Amino acid sequence: MGNRYVEMGLSAPVNVTWEVTYACNLTCVHCLSDSGKKRQGELTTDECMRVIDDLSEAKVFQLNIGGGEPFARPDFLDLMDYAHSKGIVTCISTNGTLIDEEVAKRLDHKLVYIQVSLDGATARSNDAIRGKGSYDKVIKALEHLGKRDLEVSINTVLTKLSFPELNKMTELAVKFGAKSRVSRFRPSGRGKDAWSHLNVTREQMVEFSGWLSRHLDVSTGDSFFSVKTEERRTLGLNMCGACKLTCCISPAGGLYPCAFLQEPEFLAGRFPGDSLSELWESSPVFHSFRRLEIKSCESCQRFDLCHGGCPAIAYHTQRKLGIPDPGCLANCVSVKKNISDTGLGEGFGTAMV
């Protein structure tokens, strides 16, 4: 099945997520990569440019840039300029706190999309997740970005704290001429420690599913296909795109199926040095993901809406692949019994009953 994607013409991923650094000026409690300080082994400027050369040769259309905080890299804007010179579109995920008027001006480029993180409609709710003073800095960044010819979205991670403020978050986005986006909370990085008290309940997830069906202008962009409704069916991918449409490069140059599975067992190669085109076609890790089937989900009436959900959440909660997404609305209660030994089961106490 793996070669099928090459035979169909998909000789490279449509987009690549690239976490360019572990460094970050914030310490968000749900951080997927446990970012904070720059770590030994991060790619140098020259090595990053060689990676961009390889992605360009593979004809990758878009780079989804994250971290850490991308703007914490002193050379980040130079790297973006280099990617743009190769015709690569960049979607930059940032906490926004380092964007001033000059940075916003330099970002004013037709190949740039900006996604600013905000986890609450007020300083009180946001700063409880992202740190004191972060809300005011993000609002200032949105003001700077609003003066430029840029497509900006405000991204919110769905948690118990942000759930009650979803309507206010969409209103805030409208105020700044931005789009709204909601991302799924996953138990990776520091999110493992915050999972039990921040993950939404099953009742909240059901409500959120209905909310999404009423707010078709709100993007999800990730594995919320597990709660997708018929109304949103045509708005995006309804299956995991890891190793099929996308993959991830770590700050140290490791190649992985996705940003949430940067574990040693999923390492497919290392940049610079390896070729993305060759790994995309021949990596055993990637072939394994393309063959991944969740048999227990195939008889479900919602299978064509989610195809088993997010493998990363299944892995982090149960240390297995090929099993149902624990957060799926139609998932069987018996899954709850399998996660008690992981140390993450408490977060599903209300989500699975």
Side-chain angles (χ1 to χ4, degrees), residues 23-44:
C24 188
N25 58 319
L26 300 183
T27 53
C28 303
V29 298
H30 56 20
C31 179
L32 72 93
S33 59
D34 196 14
S35 297
K37 294 182 179 180
K38 179 180 179 181
R39 301 179 193 174
Q40 190 173 7
E42 293 188 14
L43 299 182
T44 65

Side-chain angles (χ1 to χ4, degrees), residues 40-231:
Q40 190 173 7
E42 293 188 14
L43 299 182
T44 65
T45 302
D46 179 67
E47 289 173 330
C48 285
M49 288 186 173
R50 288 166 59 192
V51 170
I52 293 171
D53 287 338
D54 186 78
L55 299 180
S56 176
E57 289 175 8
K59 302 189 184 306
V60 171
F61 173 74
Q62 178 173 305
L63 269 176
N64 296 329
I65 308 292
E69 169 52 44
F71 291 99
R73 278 193 71 122
D75 61 357
F76 177 63
L77 288 172
D78 293 331
L79 293 176
M80 292 302 92
D81 287 342
Y82 189 66
H84 298 152
S85 74
K86 300 285 184 176
I88 299 176
V89 174
T90 57
C91 179
I92 304 169
S93 296
T94 172
N95 64 38
T97 62
L98 301 179
I99 296 178
D100 57 20
E101 188 172 356
E102 287 303 311
V103 171
K105 182 178 180 180
R106 190 161 172 188
L107 289 171
D108 198 342
H109 193 290
K110 64 181 180 180
L111 295 180
V112 174
Y113 297 86
I114 303 291
Q115 178 179 293
V116 180
S117 296
L118 198 62
D119 284 314
T122 65
R124 181 177 180 179
S125 53
N126 174 82
D127 292 5
I129 297 285
R130 310 191 67 83
K132 187 176 180 180
S134 58
Y135 179 86
D136 291 338
K137 291 179 180 179
V138 172
I139 294 301
K140 197 66 179 176
L142 289 170
E143 291 174 352
H144 291 312
L145 293 169
K147 298 175 183 177
R148 317 309 309 184
D149 185 19
L150 287 164
E151 184 172 308
V152 179
S153 63
I154 296 177
N155 182 71
T156 304
V157 177
L158 184 68
T159 65
K160 288 179 180 177
L161 295 182
S162 63
F163 174 79
E165 298 192 347
L166 290 175
N167 287 330
K168 292 182 179 179
M169 292 300 299
T170 58
E171 293 171 4
L172 189 66
V174 170
K175 176 181 176 181
F176 287 102
K179 296 183 177 181
S180 295
R181 184 178 187 272
V182 184
S183 289
R184 191 171 179 186
F185 179 32
R186 294 179 176 88
S188 63
R190 280 196 294 275
K192 295 177 182 177
D193 297 328
W195 183 250
S196 63
H197 64 275
L198 281 183
N199 188 39
V200 291
T201 66
R202 177 173 176 79
E203 289 76 17
Q204 287 173 323
M205 191 66 88
V206 171
E207 281 191 59
F208 177 69
S209 177
W211 185 86
L212 280 179
S213 70
R214 298 189 301 274
H215 294 79
L216 299 181
D217 57 331
V218 175
S219 171
T220 57
D222 62 6
S223 68
F224 272 128
F225 40 66
S226 64
V227 296
K228 181 177 287 188
T229 57
E230 192 67 34
E231 292 86 348

Side-chain angles (χ1 to χ4, degrees), residues 275-312:
S275 162
L276 176 61
S277 293
E278 292 178 4
L279 290 172
W280 185 255
E281 182 174 356
S282 63
S283 165
V285 172
F286 282 17
H287 280 294
S288 176
F289 261 79
R290 290 165 188 160
R291 292 192 299 266
L292 187 63
E293 296 179 337
I294 305 176
K295 293 292 186 181
S296 60
C297 290
E298 291 181 359
S299 61
C300 177
Q301 61 181 358
R302 299 188 78 253
F303 184 71
D304 62 339
L305 289 175
C306 75
H307 292 275
C310 176

